[in-house]
Amino acid sequence: MTTVVLADDHQLLRQAVRRALEDAGFAVLGEAGDGEEASNLAGRLQPDVVVMDVTMPVLDGIRATRRIRELAPGARVVMLTMHGEESLLADAIDAGASAFLTKDCSLQEVVKAVRSAADGDVMLSPDLAASLLDQFRDPAADTPAPSPLTKREEEILQLVADGRSTTEVARELFISAKTVKNHLASIYVKLDARDRTQAVLSGVRMGIVHLR
Amino acid sequence: MTTVVLADDHQLLRQAVRRALEDAGFAVLGEAGDGEEASNLAGRLQPDVVVMDVTMPVLDGIRATRRIRELAPGARVVMLTMHGEESLLADAIDAGASAFLTKDCSLQEVVKAVRSAADGDVMLSPDLAASLLDQFRDPAADTPAPSPLTKREEEILQLVADGRSTTEVARELFISAKTVKNHLASIYVKLDARDRTQAVLSGVRMGIVHLR
DNA sequence: GCCAAAATGGGTCCCGAGACCTATTCCCGG
DNA sequence: CCGGGAATAGGTCTCGGGACCCATTTTGGC
C-alpha cells in the first residue's frame, strides 16, 4: 500500500486532501504544518509520497523538498501551489519534486498526481508545463530579432567575436583589410557600438553572434 | 470513451501499443505509418489522444504535432521516443505534446500517459524531466566557475564590458589609467585573452561578467 | 533595364590599447 | 616576521583600430 505524508499550513486543506487520498486507498501516515515538521516526519516515517505546499512557515516547500531528498531518499514529493507561483516550478523540479499542481485543481488531480509520483513519473498541469518552457526559453530565440546587419557583416562580426584581428579576418575572407574596416564601421553604426567589443556584445545579446 | 490514433513507422510497436490500449478500454480509431498520415488521420477522426513516435518518415513527430494542434485542436499528443533523443523533449512540449516517454518504458506507462493526456495533464518520465532542466539550465550557473580574477579585476572587466574605455574606467574608479591597463594585462593572462574583446567574451562565458 | 544597397578597395590621421619593465604600499597567511 | 600577491602608479614604444574622406563593381529587387 502506498503511504503518504501531508504538509500544508492550512488544516482545512490537509483534511480535504487526506479524505480524498484515503478514499483512493492511500495510507496517510501523518500531517505537518510547516516544512521543518514535514521533512522530519518524512525522515521518520519514510513514506512513498509527500504532498506539500510550496509556501509554508519555517521552511518553504522547495527547501523542505531538498531536505526530504536527503532524509527520505525513497520519497517522491508532490507540490501544491497557489496561483502566481509559477516561477517556483523550475526550482521545485530542480529540488526533486515529482509533481507540481495549482491548488485550484480537483482533488482527483491530486490523487492522480500521488499515484503517478508513487510510480515514479513526473506530472504537471498543462498550463504549468507551458510556463516552464516560457521561463527557460531564450527571450531572443522567439523574437528572431531581424538582424540589421547584412550577411557579410554578420560573418565578419562572428569572426571578430572568435578572436580574429582585422587583418586575420581579411586573410580568412580573401578581402582587403580596408574592406573589413569598412564593414566594421557600418556594423558600429547599425549596432550603435563604439568599438568591436561593444559590437560583439550587442551581437551576442541579439543572437546574431554565437559564443564558441 | 476515450479515442486514440496511433502513429509509428514500426508496425510491431503499433500492434503492441494497440493491444495494450484496447485492453485498457480505449478505442483505437486508426493507425498511421508516418507523420503526414498521422496528422491527416487526426484531422479526420478528431481523436482525444494521438500516440506518436518522434522519428517518423515524411513528417517528423514534432512537426506532425504542430499540424495536429491545428487540424485537431482537441487532440492531446503523447510522444514516444528512442533513447538519446532527449534534446527533442523541449521542442516536443513546445509543439504542444502532453507526454514524452522513452520507448523502453512499459506498456502500462503508455496507458497511463494516454489517460493523463486525456485528462489534460502533462506527464514525463522522471529522467526526462531532469534532462529538461539540464538543457535549460545555464551551464555557468551550477558551476559557479571559481573566477581566477581578483575582485578589482572583475570590477574592471565588468566596466569594460559595459562599454567603458580605459580612461573612463580609471575616472570611474578614481585610479590612474595606467593601473587600469595593468589590471587588464593581468586579466588577459589569466583569461588567456589577447584583447578586451576576448577577455569580455571569456568573462561572459564564465559567468563573471553580466550583459546589460 | 535601372536604381539602391551591398561589397569591394584606397588614403590619411591619430589616439587608444597592449607589450614590457620597474617601483611602492598594503595586507594576509604561513 | 617575512614573503608573496594585490593594488597602486610611472614610463616608453609600437601597432591596430576607428573616424572621415573617397571610388568602383556587383547584386538584387522592382
Side-chain angles (χ1 to χ4, degrees), chain B residues 8 64 66 83 103 119 186 192 209:
Chain B
D8 194 299
R66 292 192 205 278
H83 254 310
K103 274 189 177 173
D119 292 348
S186 95
D192 190 31
V209 158

Side-chain angles (χ1 to χ4, degrees), chain A residues 36 67 81 121 142 161 173:
Chain A
E36 177 96 31
R67 250 192 99 202
T81 168
D121 288 316
D142 51 352
L173 299 181

Side-chain angles (χ1 to χ4, degrees), chain A residues 5-10 14 31-43 50-69 71 77 79:
Chain A
V5 161
L6 262 178
D8 194 300
D9 48 334
H10 306 295
R14 286 210 304 271
E31 295 182 16
D34 65 62
E36 177 96 31
E37 266 186 66
S39 45
N40 291 340
L41 211 56
V50 178
V51 177
M52 197 161 53
D53 192 1
V54 247
T55 51
M56 278 189 301
V58 189
L59 198 68
D60 69 81
I62 309 287
R63 281 183 231 275
T65 301
R66 292 191 205 278
R67 250 192 99 202
I68 289 171
R69 299 260 70 184
L71 301 177
V77 175
M79 199 77 91

